[in-house]
DNA sequence: GACAAAATTTAGGCTAGCCTAAATAAGGAT
DNA sequence: ATCCTTATTTAGGCTAGCCTAAATTTTGTC
């Protein structure tokens, strides 16, 4: 395998992969926002990524980028590192789930294939990290995962939390205080149109929680027929 | 604690610390050799390190450098990271002792204080890494360690290996094949002047091994009265 | 104490990645 | 279709860290 990609390049590819999933194509501004750098810097990097051999992204001026197969391979490799590390930190070292992301963000770029293989084995080839994010397998294939967001659910429907797609430590801590963590079972008790707030009652929790759409959009669930 | 030192700076400080132990003062050329970069590059970096606030090294033109207290603090912090990581990789992840150094060299710069604290605790606040190198404690104090090198020993003397101060994987693999690892008990069976070769027989090994001074100088032992 | 060899520093250059300010292109509203 | 806003790119600049080649200092030897 060729390597020798810089951390910065790996971060760009990971970001583009992520944005492509929800937006199809990653725009300069979106990438700049995620990476917290100036849009002009993104343009420069994107040009480089699209002219390497093999190219890592396909770039159309003023139209944003998508990953090439090679770019996607690299992105998935980093995502596998990241999510395996998150689970390792959580399971083996006892990190709280709101702190694993920041640590994994730095470690993901420096661990060797041997490190990856050893923690994967120690964890029993896991398919999901502590946030419920799917972990690509050795061949970089994504396991199946819930695609229904909590935002689509309505009163009286129930299900289990599968995935919380956000890395803000404060939000994660807040959610876990409310019992909103993967595998938690809940019932929707309220929905208000216009602001799209959703109220849910989590099993074992004293009271229901109202969540706005910015949050519920990031929470994926398995619905139950109830 | 101030941080935000680059990986390169940390590598320089670690190298200078190491060289200072054996040579008192680290010369431009020595640093360049260890880091495998051009001497001119070292001069440039040293100037920077000596003019930061607070300065990390004390630099006298044409005379080399020594660490300031602050520089030493940073070096010891990195060395603590490195050696804790080596032991962690060895004990917890099952790495062979010849591979831990390379992995730790990259990880040492990116782990957080929390990571450091958690692996230290998981390992029971260890004092020595798999090569027998002493691990600075939380307050960066070095535990005591063997200072007698195998090179000084003579026939009929015996003792135990305490420390193998070399990171060349091939050498380490060779030595462990001969049973020369920390805690191994041995007796010196031969010494030849002029070339300073030393022959030792390790307990449980079928035959004696002849080691040149470049190797024996790096092996530290605890002598026994025998 | 002079001189050659070795060590070190200076000078000038390069790449990766970031920045700001200014120019240009795209897209939506009228 | 034009105007205005927003997105994007261009141009020029900066720092960290490396490089080579040339100049200089130190050191060891006679």
């Amino acid at each position: 395998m060729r390597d020798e990609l810089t951390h910065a390049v790996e971060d760009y590819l990971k970001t583009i992969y992520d944005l492509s999933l929800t937006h199809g194509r990653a725009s300069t501004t979106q990438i700049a926002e995620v990476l917290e750098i100036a849009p002009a810097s993104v343009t420069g990097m994107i040009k480089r990524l699209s002219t390497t051999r093999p190219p890592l992204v396909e770039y159309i001026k003023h139209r944003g980028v998508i990953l090439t197969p090679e770019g996607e391979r690299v992105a998935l490799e980093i995502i596998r590192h990241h999510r395996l590390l998150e689970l390792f930190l959580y399971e083996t070292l006892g990190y709280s789930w709101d702190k694993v992301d920041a640590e994994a963000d730095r470690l993901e770029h420096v661990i060797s294939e041997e490190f990856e293989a050893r923690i994967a084995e120690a964890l029993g080839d896991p398919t999901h990290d502590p946030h419920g994010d799917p972990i690509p397998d050795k061949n970089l294939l994504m396991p199946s995962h819930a695609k229904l967001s909590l935002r689509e659910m309505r009163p009286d429907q129930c299900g289990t939390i599968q995935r919380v797609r956000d890395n803000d430590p404060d939000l994660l801590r807040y959610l876990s205080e409310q019992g909103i963590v993967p595998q938690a079972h809940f019932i929707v008790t309220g929905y208000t149109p216009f602001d799209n707030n959703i109220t849910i009652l989590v099993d074992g929790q004293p009271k229901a929680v109202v969540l706005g759409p910015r949050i519920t959009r990031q929470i994926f669930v398995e619905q139950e027929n109830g």
Side-chain angles (χ1 to χ4, degrees), chain A:
Chain A
M1 305 283 166
R2 77 196 70 48
D3 254 42
E4 320 323 322
L5 296 175
T6 64
H7 300 183
V9 167
E10 292 177 347
D11 278 337
Y12 273 90
L13 296 175
K14 192 174 66 151
T15 301
I16 294 165
Y17 178 89
D18 241 50
L19 290 169
S20 301
L21 281 189
T22 39
H23 301 81
R25 201 171 254 278
S27 76
T28 303
T29 317
Q30 288 172 329
I31 297 169
E33 269 166 15
V34 174
L35 295 177
E36 300 187 284
I37 58 181
S41 307
V42 174
T43 302
M45 176 63 97
I46 277 175
K47 280 187 180 170
R48 267 182 49 212
L49 298 181
S50 64
T51 52
T52 55
R53 304 191 59 76
L56 296 164
V57 304
E58 185 190 296
Y59 168 48
I60 305 177
K61 248 189 198 179
H62 297 280
R63 287 269 130 81
V65 293
I66 51 175
L67 295 176
T68 61
E70 175 62 11
E72 184 169 326
R73 194 191 64 75
V74 175
L76 285 168
E77 187 76 57
I78 298 298
I79 289 168
R80 176 166 163 81
H81 285 186
H82 183 91
R83 295 184 181 167
L84 280 173
L85 280 163
E86 286 196 336
L87 190 63
F88 181 74
L89 295 170
Y90 184 77
E91 291 287 337
T92 308
L93 293 183
Y95 271 67
S96 61
W97 83 326
D98 56 298
K99 297 207 203 116
V100 295
D101 183 67
E103 189 89 46
D105 263 342
R106 295 191 311 274
L107 290 167
E108 64 188 7
H109 304 295
V110 303
I111 66 171
S112 65
E113 291 305 290
E114 174 160 5
F115 192 105
E116 172 194 317
R118 285 186 183 275
I119 62 175
E121 197 199 331
L123 295 167
D125 285 316
T127 56
H128 297 270
D129 77 8
H131 307 109
D133 294 329
I135 302 174
D137 70 13
K138 272 180 254 227
N139 302 314
L140 305 181
L141 294 172
M142 278 287 189
S144 69
H145 55 277
K147 287 178 182 63
L148 175 68
S149 89
L150 181 54
R151 194 164 111 107
E152 324 298 335
M153 294 193 77
R154 291 297 174 268
D156 295 328
Q157 297 180 332
C158 61
T160 53
I161 307 288
Q162 294 293 325
R163 183 180 187 194
V164 179
R165 236 188 90 76
D166 196 303
N167 296 317
D168 173 26
D170 291 328
L171 173 59
L172 289 174
R173 206 157 38 244
Y174 170 75
L175 291 175
S176 66
E177 278 162 12
Q178 315 301 321
I180 301 171
V181 295
Q183 304 317 317
H185 185 267
F186 66 91
I187 181 165
V188 178
T189 59
Y191 163 72
T192 55
F194 308 113
D195 61 6
N196 290 299
N197 280 347
I198 285 174
T199 309
I200 68 172
L201 179 62
V202 179
D203 284 15
Q205 293 300 117
K207 50 183 196 169
V209 194
V210 181
L211 300 168
R214 209 204 66 94
I215 297 173
T216 53
R217 194 156 36 93
Q218 301 278 64
I219 298 176
F220 294 85
V221 302
E222 187 79 38
Q223 193 183 342
E224 279 163 29
N225 36 357

